[in-house]
Amino acid sequence: MSSSTHFLNDLDRISRTRQAIAQNLEKIADALFTAEAEGETTSGKLGLEREIEDISTASKNLKKGVFRLLVLGDMKRGKSTFLNALIGENLLPSDVNPCTALLTILKYGAEKTVTIHFNDGKPPERIDFKDFKQRYTIPPEEAKELEQKKQQAFPDVSHAVVEYPLPLLEKGVEIVDSPGLNDTEARNALSLGYINNCHAILFVLRASQPCTMAERRYLENYIKDRGLSIFFLINAWDQVKEGLIDPDDAAELAEAENKLRKVFHANLAEYCVVDGVNVYDERVFEISAITALRRRIKDANADLEGTGFTPFIRSLNTFLTQERAIAELRQGRTLARQAQTRVKEAIDRRIPLLNQTVQELKQRIQSVEPQFAQLSEIRDQFRDEIRSMRDRKARAIADSFRTYVFGLEGTFEQDFLRYQPGDMQFFDFLSENKRQQFNAAAQQGFQQYVNDKFFAWTLTAEKDLTAAFGDLSKSAEKYGASYAQITDQISAKLTGQALHPRPETSTGDDNTPGWAKWAMGLFSLATGNFAGAALAVSGFDFKSILLNLFATTGIAIIFGSILGPFGIIIASLGLGALQADHARKQFAKAIKKELVKYLPKIAQEQWQPIYSAVQECFDAYEREVIKRINDDIHSRHAELNNLLKQKESHEINREMELKRLQGVEAIVSDECRKLEASYQTLLV
């Protein structure tokens, strides 16, 4: 069996398991919804609205769940050829800049269709595939010209969605094909927006151009230390011999290949460490995309040995269908077990209270009011801790940006040297007809310098926030344990049964309140944030919030627009007779002189937007946590008040109600058992 066929079979198995677990969750939600509806005419609702909502959302997410792969790569790396080889059909154009400036999402569809999405308010447009290729691909030379002018080919277009009836897509894989790296910074930012919404990144390099500056910049800015799962595909490895004096000399070929491997290892090794473990051999692959494509076009199940695709597909298969699938489905399992515990506790409270008179029930409800007040106190304490952390971190991170900006002055001259135009371009400003080109190249270099520095700072800010939310996760565990002890006291006082101490169990056991599990990051109902080594530590994607809010500050644009035409600056230096290396140093000094005039203004103006951006991360977390705690307190109150209301209105048939409640618990337990069986098959 070929690696591609094996991959498809495993994807099919995961798809069926995903659908089965989604069905289990749906049946649990339906059973709870029915039980609550019946409760209105029997002993009253049990207050399970939150469980119904969360489980229903998780079920829907699983039903439409896919493995999303983001493909990155510079122009002329064979990215489209690689994609065509991966999907097994010559679908994407490979003789031009890949779909030019359009970010393209490739997903399954029964019919071949393309939908263009615009960013100027126009409704999406459906076109045929031939028209798509004609209208939205441009020659490489035109793409290069646009790049130099810092313009987009199709500025009014957001992205394209290509639907195609291919087996790989049908089995639940969705591919996001990004624009090239050596492109406008705005388009690179567009790709960055998708990084946190994929399961894995496939980064295509080329053997003949090992780790260019643009590629190293991209990895440094967007990938490094962000906990992303990335596979590196070194394409055209079979063409290494073409650069040899004697292509048939095995020793010369081996020496050339070993030198290349050392270069790639030196540049990529740091991106191939997961939880302290070196996974380089499972993440970096030497491939020949064109050879693999030729074989797969002739036979979709062709043997791909010798192309590098076999070990790559095997590793990708393991990662997606085992590591990622288990992490994804574990959340459904967590929610199901949480609901099962909540239902059992509610029913165990309800059954003894059926025997109570209205007066006795009122007395018991009154007796637990102090405990309900304690639940509210825990909520307020956790809220105050979140706000305290918010204010400290917002100020510290905003201050760190100000310090970072002022620190640019000290290292600018040395740092900026590598961003300046090449020697052949440097004196283009002396030629009037080339001065515009020089200005464009110099502005682009300065923009790259600014972006590199800005993203270096955002990485430190992100690390600070990760640590902060890690601390809040621990606090949520502590508050959750105290909260559970008090709800146990409430149950004991209501039922008159002895309170048994909770057993010592692992973090996030099924007795932990649902709100605490969310706050601890044990489940997330968001559809994004898959690329990280784990789900968001806090149960929500603060990185996307931070990224979006930082983007609105326009820091890079502010930096890039503070200086006038670079040719004017350099012409004022009178450098015509100087050597290029000396001219570069003088140029850097002149730029620095202009730059430092604006640093205080930039530091001052951007302090508040950054402060507000960080605050919003914590505010979003607080809103969801407090809402979930309030929902839990309200549902526990409602559970008792609903029973009291029913008792006051009519006599409850205890025997029939006991049978109904036990039936609900049996249905939930049975579906949880089936779900657990499906989940365990993935662990074998």
Side-chain angles (χ1 to χ4, degrees):
M1 183 186 298
S2 70
S3 58
S4 299
T5 302
H6 190 42
F7 187 25
L8 288 176
N9 289 343
D10 282 349
L11 287 172
D12 183 62
R13 176 174 60 87
I14 293 300
S15 178
R16 284 186 278 108
T17 302
R18 183 189 277 139
Q19 295 304 315
I21 290 179
Q23 195 71 23
N24 296 139
L25 292 174
E26 184 178 26
K27 288 182 178 179
I28 292 173
D30 288 345
L32 299 185
F33 181 82
T34 301
E36 293 292 78
E38 292 174 347
E40 292 184 341
T41 58
T42 53
S43 67
K45 292 183 176 182
L46 296 173
L48 302 174
E49 289 83 359
R50 167 58 67 184
E51 283 70 26
I52 294 172
E53 180 182 342
D54 283 353
I55 288 178
S56 296
T57 300
S59 177
K60 290 175 183 176
N61 287 347
L62 282 177
K63 283 183 178 180
K64 60 185 180 184
V66 295
F67 291 122
R68 188 173 295 114
L69 307 177
L70 174 62
V71 183
L72 298 173
D74 213 341
M75 291 187 291
K76 294 298 184 181
R77 296 300 183 268
K79 187 155 60 78
S80 293
T81 303
F82 161 73
L83 270 175
N84 289 334
L86 180 63
I87 62 181
E89 187 163 329
N90 195 25
L91 176 62
L92 298 172
S94 55
D95 56 344
V96 294
N97 182 20
C99 287
T100 59
L102 293 193
L103 186 141
T104 304
I105 301 173
L106 189 59
K107 60 196 298 185
Y108 178 75
E111 302 292 333
K112 302 177 184 179
T113 63
V114 180
T115 304
I116 306 297
H117 293 261
F118 301 92
N119 53 27
D120 59 358
K122 286 194 298 186
E125 178 188 9
R126 296 191 70 175
I127 59 177
D128 61 45
F129 205 76
K130 182 178 179 181
D131 195 22
F132 171 60
K133 287 186 176 182
Q134 290 177 344
R135 287 169 55 182
Y136 292 103
T137 58
I138 58 176
E141 56 271 17
E142 185 178 343
K144 187 67 177 176
E145 183 180 349
L146 288 167
E147 174 196 329
Q148 292 175 345
K149 294 179 179 179
K150 296 191 291 185
Q151 295 177 353
Q152 296 186 37
F154 309 102
D156 62 328
V157 177
S158 168
H159 63 281
V161 176
V162 177
E163 296 181 53
Y164 214 83
L166 291 171
L168 181 65
L169 306 178
E170 186 178 13
K171 301 299 182 184
V173 172
E174 189 173 290
I175 298 171
V176 180
D177 183 17
S178 73
L181 307 181
N182 193 19
D183 218 331
T184 66
E185 300 300 330
R187 293 227 301 264
N188 280 344
L190 178 65
S191 297
L192 178 62
Y194 282 81
I195 282 180
N196 278 344
N197 292 289
C198 65
H199 291 81
I201 297 167
L202 310 183
F203 202 112
V204 183
L205 303 159
R206 196 171 187 87
S208 59
Q209 296 171 287
C211 297
T212 64
M213 180 179 175
E215 290 165 339
R216 294 196 304 272
R217 280 189 64 242
Y218 199 95
L219 291 171
E220 182 81 17
N221 288 344
Y222 302 124
I223 307 298
K224 187 177 180 180
D225 294 333
R226 298 185 189 273
L228 303 172
S229 301
I230 182 167
F231 292 78
F232 293 99
L233 295 311
I234 306 173
N235 192 24
W237 191 264
D238 55 324
Q239 296 177 16
V240 173
K241 63 172 57 180
E242 295 179 5
L244 304 180
I245 297 175
D246 183 1
D248 297 324
D249 187 332
E252 186 182 3
L253 176 60
E255 183 181 359
E257 289 182 333
N258 286 334
K259 286 182 179 179
L260 272 179
R261 290 187 179 110
K262 288 180 181 178
V263 172
F264 281 110
H265 188 275
N267 285 282
L268 305 181
E270 63 181 311
Y271 303 99
C272 300
V273 177
V274 178
D275 296 330
V277 178
N278 180 3
V279 293
Y280 188 87
D281 292 339
E282 301 164 31
R283 292 291 188 268
V284 181
F285 302 91
E286 302 159 1
I287 67 169
S288 171
I290 189 64
T291 303
L293 176 59
R294 287 167 180 165
R295 292 185 192 177
R296 294 207 69 188
I297 286 177
K298 292 180 180 178
D299 178 5
N301 299 317
D303 182 1
L304 299 180
E305 287 295 332
T307 67
F309 267 71
T310 297
F312 160 62
I313 291 177
R314 188 183 300 124
S315 183
L316 181 63
N317 185 8
T318 299
F319 175 77
L320 290 180
T321 63
Q322 294 181 34
E323 298 173 34
R324 273 292 171 260
I326 290 171
E328 175 188 346
L329 297 175
R330 186 187 295 125
Q331 293 192 82
R333 175 181 183 245
T334 296
L335 286 168
R337 294 170 69 172
Q338 177 178 300
Q340 183 181 17
T341 299
R342 181 78 171 83
V343 168
K344 184 179 187 310
E345 289 179 348
I347 290 176
D348 286 347
R349 280 191 297 270
R350 176 61 55 86
I351 290 175
L353 295 178
L354 293 176
N355 294 325
Q356 303 296 308
T357 65
V358 170
Q359 189 59 35
E360 289 172 336
L361 181 58
K362 286 182 177 180
Q363 291 175 351
R364 294 205 176 190
I365 293 175
Q366 184 63 33
S367 73
V368 296
E369 283 306 314
Q371 279 69 42
F372 273 106
Q374 287 180 286
L375 296 182
S376 296
E377 288 174 8
I378 289 175
R379 175 202 62 203
D380 294 343
Q381 289 170 5
F382 192 26
R383 181 193 59 207
D384 291 344
E385 185 169 331
I386 296 170
R387 291 180 178 179
S388 175
M389 179 75 78
R390 175 199 66 189
D391 294 341
R392 292 199 314 273
K393 287 299 177 182
R395 179 169 294 278
I397 290 174
D399 285 347
S400 77
F401 176 75
R402 182 165 53 196
T403 302
Y404 189 84
V405 167
F406 284 124
L408 295 178
E409 179 181 356
T411 61
F412 180 82
E413 291 180 44
Q414 183 62 38
D415 291 347
F416 187 59
L417 287 176
R418 71 187 184 102
Y419 294 93
Q420 295 183 29
D423 290 347
M424 296 299 293
Q425 295 176 285
F426 202 76
F427 292 106
D428 282 350
F429 73 93
L430 295 174
S431 172
E432 188 172 346
N433 62 341
K434 291 185 177 181
R435 191 163 296 166
Q436 186 175 357
Q437 294 179 12
F438 170 81
N439 278 328
Q443 284 281 2
Q444 184 182 38
F446 184 71
Q447 190 73 55
Q448 289 177 345
Y449 163 80
V450 168
N451 278 340
D452 287 359
K453 289 299 182 182
F454 177 60
F455 277 104
W457 172 79
T458 62
L459 185 58
T460 64
E462 194 174 288
K463 287 180 178 178
D464 285 347
L465 283 175
T466 299
F469 280 109
D471 290 341
L472 289 178
S473 175
K474 294 175 184 176
S475 294
E477 181 181 3
K478 178 189 69 177
Y479 286 118
S482 299
Y483 192 96
Q485 289 176 355
I486 295 171
T487 57
D488 284 348
Q489 293 173 19
I490 291 175
S491 295
K493 292 184 75 171
L494 288 171
T495 63
Q497 298 173 354
L499 178 63
H500 300 289
R502 290 179 181 267
E504 292 290 333
T505 55
S506 60
T507 298
D509 62 59
D510 293 329
N511 293 320
T512 301
W515 65 261
K517 287 182 180 178
W518 186 91
M520 292 162 62
L522 297 182
F523 72 89
S524 170
L525 296 173
T527 56
N529 191 47
F530 294 118
L535 288 165
V537 68
S538 55
F540 82 110
D541 187 6
F542 78 83
K543 294 182 181 180
S544 288
I545 297 174
L546 191 68
L547 173 65
N548 292 337
L549 290 168
F550 278 169
T552 63
T553 65
I555 292 172
I557 296 173
I558 293 169
F559 266 112
S561 62
I562 62 177
L563 303 180
F566 280 57
I568 295 176
I569 295 174
I570 197 169
S572 68
L573 300 176
L575 299 177
L578 297 180
Q579 295 296 319
D581 59 342
H582 182 68
R584 287 176 180 282
K585 293 178 182 178
Q586 293 297 104
F587 183 46
K589 286 183 179 180
I591 299 297
K592 173 185 171 181
K593 185 177 179 181
E594 292 296 312
L595 177 65
V596 296
K597 296 177 183 177
Y598 297 91
L599 293 183
K601 182 174 183 287
I602 292 171
Q604 180 63 32
E605 289 182 350
Q606 297 308 312
W607 191 93
Q608 186 61 50
I610 290 173
Y611 182 90
S612 299
V614 175
Q615 274 200 321
E616 176 55 25
C617 292
F618 290 95
D619 287 344
Y621 179 75
E622 180 197 322
R623 285 193 295 269
E624 185 65 21
V625 169
I626 299 306
K627 182 178 185 301
R628 286 177 174 271
I629 298 177
N630 284 337
D631 286 349
D632 188 82
I633 295 173
H634 172 76
S635 69
R636 293 175 186 275
H637 263 303
E639 173 193 327
L640 301 175
N641 292 332
N642 291 339
L643 173 60
L644 179 60
K645 180 180 178 182
Q646 295 300 92
K647 275 185 170 290
E648 289 176 332
S649 65
H650 66 273
E651 185 174 345
I652 299 171
N653 187 320
R654 185 184 187 283
E655 200 171 303
M656 289 184 62
E657 186 61 357
L658 180 62
K659 183 178 180 181
R660 183 184 75 85
L661 294 173
Q662 289 175 338
V664 173
E665 186 175 355
I667 292 173
V668 173
S669 296
D670 186 51
E671 292 302 325
C672 284
R673 180 185 56 77
K674 293 176 182 177
L675 188 154
E676 183 68 22
S678 296
Y679 178 77
Q680 290 298 326
T681 61
L682 300 177
L683 305 181
V684 178

